[in-house]
Amino acid sequence: MSASTSRGTTDDALGPEPIPGAELLAALLDGMDAALCAFDAEGTVTHWNREAERILGWSAVEAVGRPGFAGWAVRRADADEVQGRLMAVMGAPGRQVHEFALLRKDGGRVLVRTQSAGVRGADGRPAGVYCAFSEVHAQIDLERAIALSEALFEDASWGVVLVDVDLRPTVVNAHAARALGGGRTTLLGRPLGELITQGVEELEGALQHVLAEGAPPAPAELWVTLRGGEGVRRRCWRSGFLRLASPLTEEPVPLGAGWVFQDVTAAKLAAQEADRVRFRSNQLHRASRSAAECEDPMEAATSSLDYALAGFADHALIDLVAGERLVRAAATPADAPGPCLPVAGGGFPLRYAPGHPALQAVDRTGSVRASAGAARTDGEWARQRQWPADAVHALCAVLRSRGRTLGVVTFLRSTHRAAFERPDAVYAESVADRVAASVDLHQLSGPPGEKPGPPGNPGPSGV
C-alpha cells in the first residue's frame, strides 16, 4: 500500500516522486463523512483522514507511521486483541464489523463501530487492511432513523405522504393510501387535485408554506372532500408538516415536504354535535324564560320561535287550524331577517295544494322534511308552497296540545344552509311543544264566543 496520507504525506527531496493521483486520493479521503484509516501488511498506519482526526483528536501527522494503535489510540492492555481482530480480515473474504473502545488524544474513550476489509496488491497477495469507523451512537442514530422511516411507511397507524417541490406524492404509506382511496403506487406522481375535490387549496397552501418557511408550530385540522369508489366522502384530517432538506449541501435545499395526518372526523363530528346540542338547549332555556315574562300567550309563542331560529333556520311560520284549512297566524319577514310577528288582521285561509308538507304534518301528527332539489335556484318551488322565495329546505312540525292538533310551525332554510336532518326534526318538535302550549293558552283566553275545537280534532287534510 502507498505510504501517502490525506494530510500526512511527507516531502523528501531524496525520496521517490509523488504517486500520480495522490493529491486526488488525499482530497477524497478528507472529504469522506466516515472516519477512515488503513494499515499495511505489518500493521503500520498508512492513511488517516480528517473525520478520524475529529473523532479521536490525533492528526494525520501524529497517526501515520505508527505501528498499530497500541499506547495511543487503544489501551495497551487491549491493543493485541484489537490489532489481531483488525488484521485478521486481511486474509478473509468480505468485510467484518467490530466494536472497539478507542482512546482520544485528550485521554477520553469513545466506542466506535468499525467495518474493515483486506486490501490486495497487484500480485493478488494481501497487502494491508482499510478500516472505516464511526461513533457507535452516530451509527445507532442512523439505524434508528432508517428503522423509523421503514416503520412509518409500513406499519404506522396514521397517514404519511412525502411530496416533491411540485406537490406531487413521491412516497405514500399504506394508511395514507387507504385514506386517499388508492394504492401506494397508483397515487404516486398524481396531482392532489385528482384525489381531493374540496379542500385541496388549503392543503396545497400549507405544503407551499412549509417549503418556503418551514414547519408550522402546531398541527392543523383540514376538512377535505374525497372522490373515489366509495363515493364522495367528507373527512377531517389533523395534519402535521415537515420540510425535507438535503443534508449534503451547504445551504439546505428543499427536497419536498412530509405530511403526516390522522383522521379525526368522528371526534370532530361528535364535538360539533355536542356543541350544537348544548347551544340548542341553552336557546330553549332562554326561550322558556322569555316566554314566562310575556302577558300575551301569542307573544310567548313568537318569542320562542325567535330564540329557535338562531343558528337553525332563516324563516319561521305559524299556521293554525281553522275548520278544514290552515290560517297564517305569525311569520318572520319574507325579504329580510327579522322577528316572528303576528299577521295583521288574522290572515286568510291558505290555499295549500294537496301534498303540501304542512298538510302532511297535520295528517301524520308528526314532522315532515322537504327540499327543493334541482329546482332550488329559481324560487318556483318555494312560491308554489307559498313560502319566501329564497327557501329551499323546509321542516314542518305539528302543534299539538291537550290531544288536539292546533296547527303547524314551519322552519325554512335558504341555499347557504344544509338540508334539515333527523336531529333537526327532534329540536323542531321540542320548539313546537312550547309554541303549541302558548297557542293553546291564547285560544283559551281569546275573545268571548271563540271556543277551541273539540278534543281529538284531526285538523285539515286538504284544500
PDB file of all heavy atoms in Angstrom, residues 393-405:
ATOM      1  N   HIS A 393     -85.167  24.527   1.760  1.00  0.00           N
ATOM      2  CA  HIS A 393     -85.319  23.389   2.675  1.00  0.00           C
ATOM      3  C   HIS A 393     -86.405  23.747   3.685  1.00  0.00           C
ATOM      4  O   HIS A 393     -86.455  24.874   4.184  1.00  0.00           O
ATOM      5  CB  HIS A 393     -84.022  23.082   3.428  1.00  0.00           C
ATOM      6  CG  HIS A 393     -82.837  22.868   2.529  1.00  0.00           C
ATOM      7  ND1 HIS A 393     -82.755  21.823   1.641  1.00  0.00           N
ATOM      8  CD2 HIS A 393     -81.688  23.582   2.397  1.00  0.00           C
ATOM      9  CE1 HIS A 393     -81.599  21.888   1.000  1.00  0.00           C
ATOM     10  NE2 HIS A 393     -80.939  22.952   1.434  1.00  0.00           N
ATOM     11  N   ALA A 394     -87.275  22.791   3.982  1.00  0.00           N
ATOM     12  CA  ALA A 394     -88.394  23.040   4.896  1.00  0.00           C
ATOM     13  C   ALA A 394     -88.490  21.926   5.921  1.00  0.00           C
ATOM     14  O   ALA A 394     -88.171  20.761   5.651  1.00  0.00           O
ATOM     15  CB  ALA A 394     -89.700  23.149   4.119  1.00  0.00           C
ATOM     16  N   LEU A 395     -88.968  22.298   7.100  1.00  0.00           N
ATOM     17  CA  LEU A 395     -89.236  21.345   8.173  1.00  0.00           C
ATOM     18  C   LEU A 395     -90.526  21.788   8.851  1.00  0.00           C
ATOM     19  O   LEU A 395     -90.591  22.872   9.444  1.00  0.00           O
ATOM     20  CB  LEU A 395     -88.081  21.313   9.177  1.00  0.00           C
ATOM     21  CG  LEU A 395     -88.293  20.500  10.462  1.00  0.00           C
ATOM     22  CD1 LEU A 395     -88.660  19.060  10.148  1.00  0.00           C
ATOM     23  CD2 LEU A 395     -87.041  20.558  11.329  1.00  0.00           C
ATOM     24  N   CYS A 396     -91.567  20.972   8.735  1.00  0.00           N
ATOM     25  CA  CYS A 396     -92.871  21.282   9.316  1.00  0.00           C
ATOM     26  C   CYS A 396     -93.092  20.386  10.528  1.00  0.00           C
ATOM     27  O   CYS A 396     -93.014  19.156  10.430  1.00  0.00           O
ATOM     28  CB  CYS A 396     -93.992  21.047   8.297  1.00  0.00           C
ATOM     29  SG  CYS A 396     -93.870  22.112   6.837  1.00  0.00           S
ATOM     30  N   ALA A 397     -93.372  21.013  11.676  1.00  0.00           N
ATOM     31  CA  ALA A 397     -93.642  20.283  12.910  1.00  0.00           C
ATOM     32  C   ALA A 397     -95.049  20.629  13.383  1.00  0.00           C
ATOM     33  O   ALA A 397     -95.440  21.803  13.437  1.00  0.00           O
ATOM     34  CB  ALA A 397     -92.612  20.647  13.984  1.00  0.00           C
ATOM     35  N   VAL A 398     -95.841  19.603  13.702  1.00  0.00           N
ATOM     36  CA  VAL A 398     -97.231  19.806  14.081  1.00  0.00           C
ATOM     37  C   VAL A 398     -97.310  20.392  15.488  1.00  0.00           C
ATOM     38  O   VAL A 398     -96.483  20.096  16.356  1.00  0.00           O
ATOM     39  CB  VAL A 398     -98.002  18.474  13.997  1.00  0.00           C
ATOM     40  CG1 VAL A 398     -97.528  17.496  15.055  1.00  0.00           C
ATOM     41  CG2 VAL A 398     -99.509  18.701  14.107  1.00  0.00           C
ATOM     42  N   LEU A 399     -98.319  21.241  15.709  1.00  0.00           N
ATOM     43  CA  LEU A 399     -98.573  21.831  17.019  1.00  0.00           C
ATOM     44  C   LEU A 399     -99.688  21.029  17.690  1.00  0.00           C
ATOM     45  O   LEU A 399    -100.835  21.010  17.224  1.00  0.00           O
ATOM     46  CB  LEU A 399     -98.996  23.299  16.872  1.00  0.00           C
ATOM     47  CG  LEU A 399     -97.982  24.237  16.214  1.00  0.00           C
ATOM     48  CD1 LEU A 399     -98.569  25.629  16.049  1.00  0.00           C
ATOM     49  CD2 LEU A 399     -96.698  24.301  17.039  1.00  0.00           C
ATOM     50  N   ARG A 400     -99.366  20.358  18.785  1.00  0.00           N
ATOM     51  CA  ARG A 400    -100.330  19.525  19.498  1.00  0.00           C
ATOM     52  C   ARG A 400    -100.390  19.949  20.959  1.00  0.00           C
ATOM     53  O   ARG A 400     -99.356  20.183  21.605  1.00  0.00           O
ATOM     54  CB  ARG A 400     -99.909  18.059  19.430  1.00  0.00           C
ATOM     55  CG  ARG A 400     -99.885  17.459  18.035  1.00  0.00           C
ATOM     56  CD  ARG A 400    -101.254  16.989  17.605  1.00  0.00           C
ATOM     57  NE  ARG A 400    -101.749  15.908  18.458  1.00  0.00           N
ATOM     58  CZ  ARG A 400    -102.948  15.355  18.315  1.00  0.00           C
ATOM     59  NH1 ARG A 400    -103.775  15.793  17.368  1.00  0.00           N
ATOM     60  NH2 ARG A 400    -103.333  14.379  19.112  1.00  0.00           N
ATOM     61  N   SER A 401    -101.606  20.062  21.480  1.00  0.00           N
ATOM     62  CA  SER A 401    -101.793  20.388  22.888  1.00  0.00           C
ATOM     63  C   SER A 401    -103.107  19.787  23.362  1.00  0.00           C
ATOM     64  O   SER A 401    -104.134  19.913  22.671  1.00  0.00           O
ATOM     65  CB  SER A 401    -101.798  21.906  23.102  1.00  0.00           C
ATOM     66  OG  SER A 401    -101.996  22.231  24.464  1.00  0.00           O
ATOM     67  N   ARG A 402    -103.102  19.158  24.522  1.00  0.00           N
ATOM     68  CA  ARG A 402    -104.290  18.538  25.108  1.00  0.00           C
ATOM     69  C   ARG A 402    -104.998  17.605  24.137  1.00  0.00           C
ATOM     70  O   ARG A 402    -106.209  17.560  24.023  1.00  0.00           O
ATOM     71  CB  ARG A 402    -105.245  19.595  25.633  1.00  0.00           C
ATOM     72  CG  ARG A 402    -104.655  20.421  26.765  1.00  0.00           C
ATOM     73  CD  ARG A 402    -105.661  21.372  27.391  1.00  0.00           C
ATOM     74  NE  ARG A 402    -106.114  22.368  26.417  1.00  0.00           N
ATOM     75  CZ  ARG A 402    -107.398  22.649  26.229  1.00  0.00           C
ATOM     76  NH1 ARG A 402    -108.344  22.006  26.912  1.00  0.00           N
ATOM     77  NH2 ARG A 402    -107.747  23.573  25.354  1.00  0.00           N
ATOM     78  N   GLY A 403    -104.195  16.838  23.375  1.00  0.00           N
ATOM     79  CA  GLY A 403    -104.748  15.857  22.445  1.00  0.00           C
ATOM     80  C   GLY A 403    -105.339  16.440  21.198  1.00  0.00           C
ATOM     81  O   GLY A 403    -106.030  15.735  20.449  1.00  0.00           O
ATOM     82  N   ARG A 404    -105.099  17.722  20.926  1.00  0.00           N
ATOM     83  CA  ARG A 404    -105.677  18.377  19.748  1.00  0.00           C
ATOM     84  C   ARG A 404    -104.564  18.887  18.840  1.00  0.00           C
ATOM     85  O   ARG A 404    -103.495  19.289  19.308  1.00  0.00           O
ATOM     86  CB  ARG A 404    -106.560  19.568  20.161  1.00  0.00           C
ATOM     87  CG  ARG A 404    -107.756  19.189  21.011  1.00  0.00           C
ATOM     88  CD  ARG A 404    -108.574  20.409  21.401  1.00  0.00           C
ATOM     89  NE  ARG A 404    -107.769  21.388  22.101  1.00  0.00           N
ATOM     90  CZ  ARG A 404    -107.558  22.626  21.677  1.00  0.00           C
ATOM     91  NH1 ARG A 404    -108.074  23.022  20.521  1.00  0.00           N
ATOM     92  NH2 ARG A 404    -106.837  23.460  22.388  1.00  0.00           N
ATOM     93  N   THR A 405    -104.833  18.878  17.552  1.00  0.00           N
ATOM     94  CA  THR A 405    -103.926  19.480  16.571  1.00  0.00           C
ATOM     95  C   THR A 405    -104.315  20.933  16.401  1.00  0.00           C
ATOM     96  O   THR A 405    -105.420  21.252  15.931  1.00  0.00           O
ATOM     97  CB  THR A 405    -103.994  18.748  15.221  1.00  0.00           C
ATOM     98  OG1 THR A 405    -103.556  17.409  15.405  1.00  0.00           O
ATOM     99  CG2 THR A 405    -103.116  19.439  14.190  1.00  0.00           C
TER     100      THR A 405
END
